[in-house]
Amino acid sequence: MSTYVYGIAASSHPGLPEGMGGVGDPPRPVRILREGDLAAVVSEAPEGLRPKRKDLLAHQNVLSEAGAAGCVLPMRFGSVAPDDKSITGVLAERAEHYKERLRALDGRVEYNVKANHVEEAVLHQVMAESPEIRGLAEANRQAGGGSYDDKIRLGEMVAAAVKAKEADDAAALRSVLEPAAEAVSVGPESTGWLANVSFLVDRDSAENFLAAVEQARKDLPHLEVRVNGPLPPYSFVEPGPAEPAGTAASGTDTGAG
């Protein structure tokens, strides 16, 4: 039977939730594997695990219970190892890494920030910044809409200008938010967002980070900025003792989407 991993903590952690229900139907009992100074919160891994709401919430509930009394390194939903021995082996092999991460992430939370252009606002900005685009648009207007080729050319110019702004706007957003965070983890680019960035924030000063988000919204009104958090610091733990199980669960966590 393979082993599902929820998180990693110090073996002396006072609130590890041994015996509570975890993922699966029926819920698999949660148990603790200890190896030296470290412990892993685990259960049996159900077959055919997929990121359904019930199991996502079960994963989150185990982490919330474990994290209530001390720092826990959260694993992403779907992290499965072949067996218990492989997990304790990784804990032993990477002990210094995990102990350093426990110290670094104690009292910290993650905020995931995604941004995209507000279409009408960014089009106005592109027009304002490009005399060439404005000139062609005006020429087309005076010509009753312009020829097919002129319309295509204008559309291509606008699309290229908007695309060029994506990288600049992502950098501008980060420049406003990074001073209010302790660390940054950039998410995959193929997400449909011009920015997908996670920020590590001291739990006690989270209001400063949220104030920086509001400032970014004011400074960059042509961006739609979405914030998800506070979350367990998923993006700042790697490497973990197991890979997510299957493509459908890979990279999924319980709130950072």
Side-chain angles (χ1 to χ4, degrees):
M1 179 68 70
S2 55
T3 303
Y4 187 96
V5 190
Y6 300 88
I8 297 169
S11 60
S12 58
H13 189 297
L16 294 178
E18 197 162 7
M20 74 178 294
V23 298
D25 186 15
R28 301 321 196 249
V30 172
R31 52 196 173 83
I32 309 302
L33 296 178
R34 287 183 168 82
E35 175 63 38
D37 295 331
L38 297 171
V41 184
V42 306
S43 69
E44 290 184 354
E47 293 184 6
L49 182 66
R50 291 294 181 267
K52 298 178 181 179
R53 178 174 174 79
K54 177 179 178 293
D55 286 322
L56 290 168
L57 290 175
H59 180 96
Q60 181 63 51
N61 288 340
V62 172
L63 286 173
S64 296
E65 181 75 17
C71 186
V72 175
L73 305 180
M75 297 296 108
R76 294 184 184 274
F77 176 85
S79 294
V80 176
D83 51 36
D84 289 1
K85 185 176 180 180
S86 65
I87 294 174
T88 55
V90 172
L91 293 182
E93 178 185 345
R94 301 177 181 168
E96 291 309 312
H97 167 77
Y98 289 133
K99 287 190 282 187
E100 184 277 328
R101 288 289 82 198
L102 284 166
R103 291 190 295 269
L105 299 181
D106 190 19
R108 275 68 177 175
V109 293
E110 176 175 333
Y111 283 88
N112 177 256
V113 177
K114 293 182 172 70
N116 242 336
H117 282 138
V118 178
E119 185 174 359
E120 185 174 349
V122 76
L123 289 177
H124 281 300
Q125 191 170 75
V126 163
M127 294 286 287
E129 293 175 352
S130 173
E132 186 178 5
I133 291 176
R134 286 200 311 274
L136 181 55
E138 178 61 20
N140 284 358
R141 187 188 67 81
Q142 291 181 1
S147 68
Y148 174 80
D149 287 343
D150 285 340
K151 290 178 182 178
I152 293 295
R153 180 169 169 247
L154 177 61
E156 290 175 343
M157 289 173 64
V158 170
V162 170
K163 183 68 176 177
K165 285 189 66 62
E166 290 184 354
D168 291 342
D169 287 334
L173 179 63
R174 284 185 57 175
S175 71
V176 177
L177 300 183
E178 283 187 11
E182 296 187 3
V184 177
S185 177
V186 179
E189 293 183 2
S190 57
T191 58
W193 300 89
L194 66 84
N196 176 23
V197 187
S198 290
F199 297 87
L200 185 67
V201 176
D202 188 297
R203 187 187 300 272
D204 293 335
S205 60
E207 60 187 30
N208 295 333
F209 179 80
L210 296 176
V213 171
E214 291 307 313
Q215 187 62 51
R217 286 174 171 148
K218 293 176 182 179
D219 294 346
L220 303 164
H222 59 291
L223 293 185
E224 174 195 9
V225 180
R226 297 186 184 182
V227 182
N228 197 2
L231 303 165
Y234 293 101
S235 300
F236 302 91
V237 176
E238 296 301 332
E243 294 298 324
T247 303
S250 180
T252 304
D253 62 50
T254 56

